[in-house]
Amino acid sequence: MRLATWNVNSLKVRLPQLLEWLARQRPDVVCLQETKLEDAAFPRLEMAQAGYAACFAGQKTYNGVAILSRTEPRAVSVGIPGFQDEQKRVIAASVEQVRVVCVYVPNGQSVGSDKYDYKLRWMGALTAWLATELERHPQLAVLGDFNVAPEEADVHDPRLWEGQVLFSGPEREAFKKLLALGFKDSFRLFPQPEKAFTWWDYRMAAFKRNLGLRIDHILLSPALARRCTGCSIDVAPRRGARPSDHAPVIAELAD
DNA sequence: ATGGTAGAAACTCTA
């Protein structure tokens, strides 16, 4: 089973790129973030024609998450239970025997801002919820844009980013607490090239200079981590015309 | 010293 995540930064704009990428990579499950679409505008038909069922939770202008899957997603749930949030950032569904959680963690804007506090509260609520989900669903995968670079190796210039949003101590600690539940960062289960990133700012020719961060992750429960045979970042879509600022990440699970 | 770019929407906010 091939599991993927991609922050598309507007599904409306990125639909042609997504369709081309689906045809090339043939993933079984794809978690999308920043769809920026109300549910009525979700391109259900185009997805069906590409061979994918979909569940989605969107809103106008900002946020919005979706799960595409080759087979019909079951037991779909939206949001973090008990955590009041107007922003559409979480959708979960069962696909075959795997419980899939798609997350779009708040960006946080800048350290000390209201949005940063919201990000840390949000990550705390996510962690508490996932602790219970792990017990309910041993085969659990959490995929998405976490807006946190966990380690120095995940940042093009750790000294420059020290203490900055996406790499600050409290954010990295919050991410560590998530891993402490038992999840594995699938990317780090395997040898990887140096300076492997999933996001590059649109500005200052950051992609061309590979000034990126690895903030999109595929976390696997212990049972799924044992089945994982590979994880990689596909930078090809970031090179193309009118790209998202994020590249997709793909993990492979043995049957 | 607050730029640089992209997206959505509406003359600004978010990332």
PDB file of all heavy atoms in Angstrom, chain A residues 186-203:
ATOM      1  N   SER A 186       8.361   8.003   9.411  1.00  0.00           N
ATOM      2  CA  SER A 186       8.711   6.967   8.428  1.00  0.00           C
ATOM      3  C   SER A 186       9.929   7.359   7.594  1.00  0.00           C
ATOM      4  O   SER A 186      10.732   6.498   7.216  1.00  0.00           O
ATOM      5  CB  SER A 186       7.521   6.649   7.523  1.00  0.00           C
ATOM      6  OG  SER A 186       7.087   7.801   6.855  1.00  0.00           O
ATOM      7  N   PHE A 187      10.096   8.651   7.339  1.00  0.00           N
ATOM      8  CA  PHE A 187      11.226   9.117   6.526  1.00  0.00           C
ATOM      9  C   PHE A 187      12.563   8.710   7.149  1.00  0.00           C
ATOM     10  O   PHE A 187      13.514   8.377   6.435  1.00  0.00           O
ATOM     11  CB  PHE A 187      11.155  10.640   6.382  1.00  0.00           C
ATOM     12  CG  PHE A 187      12.108  11.210   5.373  1.00  0.00           C
ATOM     13  CD1 PHE A 187      11.884  11.054   4.020  1.00  0.00           C
ATOM     14  CD2 PHE A 187      13.233  11.920   5.784  1.00  0.00           C
ATOM     15  CE1 PHE A 187      12.758  11.592   3.085  1.00  0.00           C
ATOM     16  CE2 PHE A 187      14.112  12.469   4.853  1.00  0.00           C
ATOM     17  CZ  PHE A 187      13.868  12.295   3.505  1.00  0.00           C
ATOM     18  N   ARG A 188      12.614   8.736   8.479  1.00  0.00           N
ATOM     19  CA  ARG A 188      13.874   8.445   9.184  1.00  0.00           C
ATOM     20  C   ARG A 188      14.055   6.966   9.500  1.00  0.00           C
ATOM     21  O   ARG A 188      15.019   6.596  10.175  1.00  0.00           O
ATOM     22  CB  ARG A 188      13.965   9.285  10.455  1.00  0.00           C
ATOM     23  CG  ARG A 188      14.090  10.798  10.200  1.00  0.00           C
ATOM     24  CD  ARG A 188      15.343  11.142   9.429  1.00  0.00           C
ATOM     25  NE  ARG A 188      15.448  12.579   9.148  1.00  0.00           N
ATOM     26  CZ  ARG A 188      16.158  13.076   8.134  1.00  0.00           C
ATOM     27  NH1 ARG A 188      16.823  12.267   7.312  1.00  0.00           N
ATOM     28  NH2 ARG A 188      16.214  14.379   7.929  1.00  0.00           N
ATOM     29  N   LEU A 189      13.165   6.112   8.997  1.00  0.00           N
ATOM     30  CA  LEU A 189      13.375   4.672   9.139  1.00  0.00           C
ATOM     31  C   LEU A 189      14.400   4.174   8.120  1.00  0.00           C
ATOM     32  O   LEU A 189      14.832   3.027   8.179  1.00  0.00           O
ATOM     33  CB  LEU A 189      12.055   3.921   8.930  1.00  0.00           C
ATOM     34  CG  LEU A 189      10.969   4.113   9.998  1.00  0.00           C
ATOM     35  CD1 LEU A 189       9.684   3.421   9.572  1.00  0.00           C
ATOM     36  CD2 LEU A 189      11.445   3.585  11.341  1.00  0.00           C
ATOM     37  N   PHE A 190      14.756   5.042   7.165  1.00  0.00           N
ATOM     38  CA  PHE A 190      15.602   4.617   6.042  1.00  0.00           C
ATOM     39  C   PHE A 190      16.725   5.624   5.838  1.00  0.00           C
ATOM     40  O   PHE A 190      16.576   6.791   6.193  1.00  0.00           O
ATOM     41  CB  PHE A 190      14.752   4.507   4.769  1.00  0.00           C
ATOM     42  CG  PHE A 190      13.550   3.627   4.965  1.00  0.00           C
ATOM     43  CD1 PHE A 190      12.323   4.178   5.303  1.00  0.00           C
ATOM     44  CD2 PHE A 190      13.659   2.246   4.880  1.00  0.00           C
ATOM     45  CE1 PHE A 190      11.218   3.371   5.538  1.00  0.00           C
ATOM     46  CE2 PHE A 190      12.561   1.432   5.111  1.00  0.00           C
ATOM     47  CZ  PHE A 190      11.335   2.002   5.437  1.00  0.00           C
ATOM     48  N   PRO A 191      17.845   5.161   5.235  1.00  0.00           N
ATOM     49  CA  PRO A 191      18.886   6.133   4.874  1.00  0.00           C
ATOM     50  C   PRO A 191      18.307   7.137   3.879  1.00  0.00           C
ATOM     51  O   PRO A 191      17.545   6.741   2.987  1.00  0.00           O
ATOM     52  CB  PRO A 191      19.972   5.277   4.211  1.00  0.00           C
ATOM     53  CG  PRO A 191      19.583   3.857   4.413  1.00  0.00           C
ATOM     54  CD  PRO A 191      18.148   3.802   4.761  1.00  0.00           C
ATOM     55  N   GLN A 192      18.650   8.411   4.037  1.00  0.00           N
ATOM     56  CA  GLN A 192      18.094   9.445   3.158  1.00  0.00           C
ATOM     57  C   GLN A 192      19.196  10.368   2.680  1.00  0.00           C
ATOM     58  O   GLN A 192      20.213  10.513   3.362  1.00  0.00           O
ATOM     59  CB  GLN A 192      17.040  10.273   3.905  1.00  0.00           C
ATOM     60  CG  GLN A 192      15.850   9.466   4.414  1.00  0.00           C
ATOM     61  CD  GLN A 192      14.932   8.976   3.296  1.00  0.00           C
ATOM     62  OE1 GLN A 192      15.118   9.300   2.129  1.00  0.00           O
ATOM     63  NE2 GLN A 192      13.930   8.180   3.660  1.00  0.00           N
ATOM     64  N   PRO A 193      19.000  11.005   1.549  1.00  0.00           N
ATOM     65  CA  PRO A 193      19.980  12.012   1.117  1.00  0.00           C
ATOM     66  C   PRO A 193      20.032  13.176   2.104  1.00  0.00           C
ATOM     67  O   PRO A 193      19.047  13.439   2.798  1.00  0.00           O
ATOM     68  CB  PRO A 193      19.451  12.484  -0.246  1.00  0.00           C
ATOM     69  CG  PRO A 193      18.095  11.912  -0.407  1.00  0.00           C
ATOM     70  CD  PRO A 193      17.888  10.851   0.623  1.00  0.00           C
ATOM     71  N   GLU A 194      21.146  13.866   2.156  1.00  0.00           N
ATOM     72  CA  GLU A 194      21.221  15.064   2.992  1.00  0.00           C
ATOM     73  C   GLU A 194      20.420  16.186   2.347  1.00  0.00           C
ATOM     74  O   GLU A 194      20.150  16.160   1.160  1.00  0.00           O
ATOM     75  CB  GLU A 194      22.684  15.498   3.166  1.00  0.00           C
ATOM     76  CG  GLU A 194      23.394  14.616   4.173  1.00  0.00           C
ATOM     77  CD  GLU A 194      24.794  15.114   4.497  1.00  0.00           C
ATOM     78  OE1 GLU A 194      25.009  16.348   4.452  1.00  0.00           O
ATOM     79  OE2 GLU A 194      25.641  14.263   4.789  1.00  0.00           O
ATOM     80  N   LYS A 195      20.026  17.141   3.156  1.00  0.00           N
ATOM     81  CA  LYS A 195      19.275  18.311   2.694  1.00  0.00           C
ATOM     82  C   LYS A 195      18.030  17.894   1.907  1.00  0.00           C
ATOM     83  O   LYS A 195      17.804  18.330   0.769  1.00  0.00           O
ATOM     84  CB  LYS A 195      20.175  19.241   1.870  1.00  0.00           C
ATOM     85  CG  LYS A 195      21.442  19.635   2.619  1.00  0.00           C
ATOM     86  CD  LYS A 195      21.815  21.088   2.382  1.00  0.00           C
ATOM     87  CE  LYS A 195      22.996  21.535   3.230  1.00  0.00           C
ATOM     88  NZ  LYS A 195      22.645  21.842   4.634  1.00  0.00           N
ATOM     89  N   ALA A 196      17.254  17.003   2.518  1.00  0.00           N
ATOM     90  CA  ALA A 196      15.973  16.567   1.944  1.00  0.00           C
ATOM     91  C   ALA A 196      14.858  17.345   2.629  1.00  0.00           C
ATOM     92  O   ALA A 196      14.682  17.247   3.845  1.00  0.00           O
ATOM     93  CB  ALA A 196      15.786  15.073   2.159  1.00  0.00           C
ATOM     94  N   PHE A 197      14.127  18.126   1.829  1.00  0.00           N
ATOM     95  CA  PHE A 197      13.094  18.992   2.385  1.00  0.00           C
ATOM     96  C   PHE A 197      11.765  18.771   1.673  1.00  0.00           C
ATOM     97  O   PHE A 197      11.720  18.186   0.582  1.00  0.00           O
ATOM     98  CB  PHE A 197      13.524  20.464   2.257  1.00  0.00           C
ATOM     99  CG  PHE A 197      14.894  20.732   2.833  1.00  0.00           C
ATOM    100  CD1 PHE A 197      15.888  21.327   2.054  1.00  0.00           C
ATOM    101  CD2 PHE A 197      15.198  20.368   4.138  1.00  0.00           C
ATOM    102  CE1 PHE A 197      17.153  21.553   2.571  1.00  0.00           C
ATOM    103  CE2 PHE A 197      16.467  20.595   4.662  1.00  0.00           C
ATOM    104  CZ  PHE A 197      17.444  21.191   3.873  1.00  0.00           C
ATOM    105  N   THR A 198      10.687  19.265   2.300  1.00  0.00           N
ATOM    106  CA  THR A 198       9.358  19.144   1.672  1.00  0.00           C
ATOM    107  C   THR A 198       8.715  20.492   1.389  1.00  0.00           C
ATOM    108  O   THR A 198       7.671  20.558   0.752  1.00  0.00           O
ATOM    109  CB  THR A 198       8.390  18.354   2.572  1.00  0.00           C
ATOM    110  OG1 THR A 198       8.167  19.099   3.794  1.00  0.00           O
ATOM    111  CG2 THR A 198       8.955  16.974   2.916  1.00  0.00           C
ATOM    112  N   TRP A 199       9.301  21.557   1.905  1.00  0.00           N
ATOM    113  CA  TRP A 199       8.726  22.892   1.705  1.00  0.00           C
ATOM    114  C   TRP A 199       9.827  23.915   1.458  1.00  0.00           C
ATOM    115  O   TRP A 199      10.861  23.903   2.135  1.00  0.00           O
ATOM    116  CB  TRP A 199       7.889  23.315   2.932  1.00  0.00           C
ATOM    117  CG  TRP A 199       7.465  24.748   2.879  1.00  0.00           C
ATOM    118  CD1 TRP A 199       6.399  25.277   2.204  1.00  0.00           C
ATOM    119  CD2 TRP A 199       8.119  25.861   3.522  1.00  0.00           C
ATOM    120  NE1 TRP A 199       6.360  26.652   2.387  1.00  0.00           N
ATOM    121  CE2 TRP A 199       7.396  27.027   3.187  1.00  0.00           C
ATOM    122  CE3 TRP A 199       9.249  25.976   4.333  1.00  0.00           C
ATOM    123  CZ2 TRP A 199       7.755  28.295   3.642  1.00  0.00           C
ATOM    124  CZ3 TRP A 199       9.626  27.242   4.796  1.00  0.00           C
ATOM    125  CH2 TRP A 199       8.866  28.384   4.451  1.00  0.00           C
ATOM    126  N   TRP A 200       9.589  24.767   0.487  1.00  0.00           N
ATOM    127  CA  TRP A 200      10.498  25.859   0.153  1.00  0.00           C
ATOM    128  C   TRP A 200       9.647  27.094  -0.056  1.00  0.00           C
ATOM    129  O   TRP A 200       8.683  27.080  -0.858  1.00  0.00           O
ATOM    130  CB  TRP A 200      11.271  25.563  -1.143  1.00  0.00           C
ATOM    131  CG  TRP A 200      12.058  24.292  -1.122  1.00  0.00           C
ATOM    132  CD1 TRP A 200      13.415  24.169  -0.917  1.00  0.00           C
ATOM    133  CD2 TRP A 200      11.577  22.954  -1.342  1.00  0.00           C
ATOM    134  NE1 TRP A 200      13.781  22.853  -0.986  1.00  0.00           N
ATOM    135  CE2 TRP A 200      12.685  22.088  -1.249  1.00  0.00           C
ATOM    136  CE3 TRP A 200      10.310  22.409  -1.604  1.00  0.00           C
ATOM    137  CZ2 TRP A 200      12.556  20.698  -1.404  1.00  0.00           C
ATOM    138  CZ3 TRP A 200      10.185  21.034  -1.757  1.00  0.00           C
ATOM    139  CH2 TRP A 200      11.302  20.197  -1.658  1.00  0.00           C
ATOM    140  N   ASP A 201      10.004  28.179   0.596  1.00  0.00           N
ATOM    141  CA  ASP A 201       9.303  29.451   0.420  1.00  0.00           C
ATOM    142  C   ASP A 201       9.287  29.823  -1.059  1.00  0.00           C
ATOM    143  O   ASP A 201      10.246  29.578  -1.776  1.00  0.00           O
ATOM    144  CB  ASP A 201      10.028  30.537   1.228  1.00  0.00           C
ATOM    145  CG  ASP A 201       9.142  31.732   1.512  1.00  0.00           C
ATOM    146  OD1 ASP A 201       8.672  32.370   0.539  1.00  0.00           O
ATOM    147  OD2 ASP A 201       8.915  32.030   2.691  1.00  0.00           O
ATOM    148  N   TYR A 202       8.176  30.398  -1.487  1.00  0.00           N
ATOM    149  CA  TYR A 202       8.092  30.846  -2.881  1.00  0.00           C
ATOM    150  C   TYR A 202       9.095  31.972  -3.171  1.00  0.00           C
ATOM    151  O   TYR A 202       9.458  32.217  -4.314  1.00  0.00           O
ATOM    152  CB  TYR A 202       6.690  31.388  -3.179  1.00  0.00           C
ATOM    153  CG  TYR A 202       5.605  30.342  -3.408  1.00  0.00           C
ATOM    154  CD1 TYR A 202       4.457  30.344  -2.636  1.00  0.00           C
ATOM    155  CD2 TYR A 202       5.709  29.418  -4.446  1.00  0.00           C
ATOM    156  CE1 TYR A 202       3.429  29.431  -2.866  1.00  0.00           C
ATOM    157  CE2 TYR A 202       4.694  28.496  -4.678  1.00  0.00           C
ATOM    158  CZ  TYR A 202       3.555  28.505  -3.890  1.00  0.00           C
ATOM    159  OH  TYR A 202       2.561  27.601  -4.129  1.00  0.00           O
ATOM    160  N   ARG A 203       9.490  32.661  -2.092  1.00  0.00           N
ATOM    161  CA  ARG A 203      10.297  33.871  -2.292  1.00  0.00           C
ATOM    162  C   ARG A 203      11.795  33.572  -2.344  1.00  0.00           C
ATOM    163  O   ARG A 203      12.254  32.532  -1.905  1.00  0.00           O
ATOM    164  CB  ARG A 203      10.001  34.849  -1.142  1.00  0.00           C
ATOM    165  CG  ARG A 203       8.567  35.287  -1.136  1.00  0.00           C
ATOM    166  CD  ARG A 203       8.179  35.966   0.147  1.00  0.00           C
ATOM    167  NE  ARG A 203       8.051  35.022   1.234  1.00  0.00           N
ATOM    168  CZ  ARG A 203       7.575  35.332   2.432  1.00  0.00           C
ATOM    169  NH1 ARG A 203       7.178  36.564   2.683  1.00  0.00           N
ATOM    170  NH2 ARG A 203       7.497  34.435   3.375  1.00  0.00           N
TER     171      ARG A 203
END
